[in-house]
Structures are given as C-alpha cells and as structure tokens.
Amino acid sequence: MNLLPTATSTDVQEQQPHVAVLPVGSFEQHGRYLPLITDTAIACIISQEIGDAYPVHLLPPITMSCSHEHAAFAGTVSISAKTLYAVIDDIRASLARSGIHKLVIVNGHGGNYVLSNVVQEANVDGPAVSLFPLGADWDRARDHADLVSDRHADMHAGEIETSILLSGGPSACPHAESFATGMRANPSDLLERSAYAEFL
C-alpha cells in the first residue's frame, strides 16, 4: 500500500478532475500493535478506494491533527484545531485557483471535531466540502464486515481499525503477525488491547 498519491501533473491535466479528496489522519498511539500513523493509513486506504472508483484528484494526507487526548502516550504529536482549520482552508484556496471547487475530506481520526465546522462554514453558499466517513458510514462498514464489536466498545485501536490496516497489506500494519498470533490464541482479547478498554 502506498500512502502517497503517485499521479503526475500530466495525469491530472488529462483527467481534469472536479473534486479533490483529502485524507486527514493523526500521529498518535494505537496500543501495542498498531502504528502511530494508523489513522492516516486508514484515511489513505479509504481515499484510495474512492480514487479507484471516481475521477478525483487524490491529495497527500494531513498526517498530524488534533490528538490532544493522547498527549500522555509516547510518540503522539498534535496540532491545534485552528491550525488544522487553516491548513484545510489554504488547501481549498489553492485547489480553487486550479479550478477544483469541491473537496471531500476523508477523516481517519475521531478527535478532529473541527472538521465538522470546516464543512459547515464552507457550505454556506452551496455544497463545496463534504466529510466522510460519518458515524452511519462506520456502522454500515461494521455490518458489512460482520464485525463483532460495536462503535462504542471499539472506538480506538480495535477490531475495525485493525481490519482496515490489515486489508492495506503488511506495510500498513508491520506488527500484523504478532497481532494475528495473539488473536488466534485468544480472539476475545481484541477489545482488551484497545487503548481505551480501561475506560469502558
């Protein structure tokens, strides 16, 4: 899996896309097995699926965002909500100058609450920005994949995030073999490995 788009300027010129897709992730702890870049990888995997299905301009990810709730965990790096807002606003302005006036933000991190405000304000004069996936989208994905956990019990570093990363191949989840070995021994252990399990 390649987290970065590989299109050339010529590719974009020939495609003439009207919509850009921006993955937004985070750089935060995801337990013992999942990488710090989990949310970014998930946003990129989903964005790539969109790019494979539709003629969109696939952008590289924003890899750091609002992870302040994870500040106590080693490796976590955050930016402020106002910085994330400003970066997306600048990206939208740059896209508009090149003739692309619609943006889909693919959010891989639940703590990026400011993205709802970005969308709300951008759409005052008509549809310009959309946010995906929303809670209902995650619920449909869970049902489609026959996952055993629900959204509340599996809110971080659990079944759905691990499943998406494993679908992205070994480079997306470098500790997959260790994780899979542990899961074969005790499948119910998955939610106990969630970084939030102690709060449930």
Side-chain angles (χ1 to χ4, degrees):
M1 179 196 66
N2 189 354
L3 294 180
L4 298 176
T6 57
T8 66
S9 180
T10 302
D11 294 335
V12 176
Q13 179 66 33
E14 289 174 356
Q15 185 186 42
Q16 291 291 300
H18 299 288
V19 177
V21 176
L22 175 64
V24 179
S26 71
F27 197 74
E28 66 183 29
Q29 67 81 24
H30 276 80
R32 292 184 296 164
Y33 293 98
L34 302 184
L36 293 163
I37 201 165
T38 291
D39 291 344
T40 299
I42 288 170
C44 288
I45 290 168
I46 294 170
S47 296
Q48 186 60 59
E49 291 290 323
I50 294 170
D52 289 346
Y54 299 98
V56 297
H57 183 27
L58 188 56
L59 302 175
I62 296 175
T63 59
M64 292 180 200
S65 62
C66 306
S67 299
H68 304 88
E69 69 276 21
H70 298 279
F73 294 91
T76 298
V77 178
S78 294
I79 60 174
S80 70
K82 67 181 179 184
T83 299
L84 181 57
Y85 188 105
V87 168
I88 292 174
D89 203 42
D90 283 354
I91 289 169
R92 286 187 57 230
S94 179
L95 287 167
R97 285 191 294 274
S98 66
I100 299 176
H101 298 280
K102 303 226 182 240
L103 177 65
V104 176
I105 299 171
V106 177
N107 181 33
H109 173 52
N112 289 333
Y113 305 113
V114 70
L115 296 180
S116 294
N117 299 109
V118 169
V119 172
Q120 179 186 39
E121 293 177 24
N123 292 334
V124 167
D125 295 322
V129 179
S130 63
L131 183 60
F132 180 80
L134 301 175
D137 302 310
W138 286 117
D139 290 340
R140 278 193 298 278
R142 281 179 189 289
D143 291 343
H144 183 73
D146 294 325
L147 300 184
V148 298
S149 60
D150 62 36
R151 194 177 355 151
H152 174 73
D154 183 31
M155 60 196 289
H156 186 75
E159 187 178 24
I160 195 162
E161 289 189 323
T162 302
S163 298
I164 294 170
L165 279 188
L166 290 174
S167 77
S171 65
C173 194
H175 300 291
E177 189 55 41
S178 298
F179 182 84
T181 300
M183 287 309 299
R184 283 191 292 272
N186 185 11
S188 65
D189 193 35
L190 178 63
L191 291 180
E192 293 171 18
R193 293 176 191 223
S194 169
Y196 283 157
E198 64 197 71
F199 300 111
L200 302 178

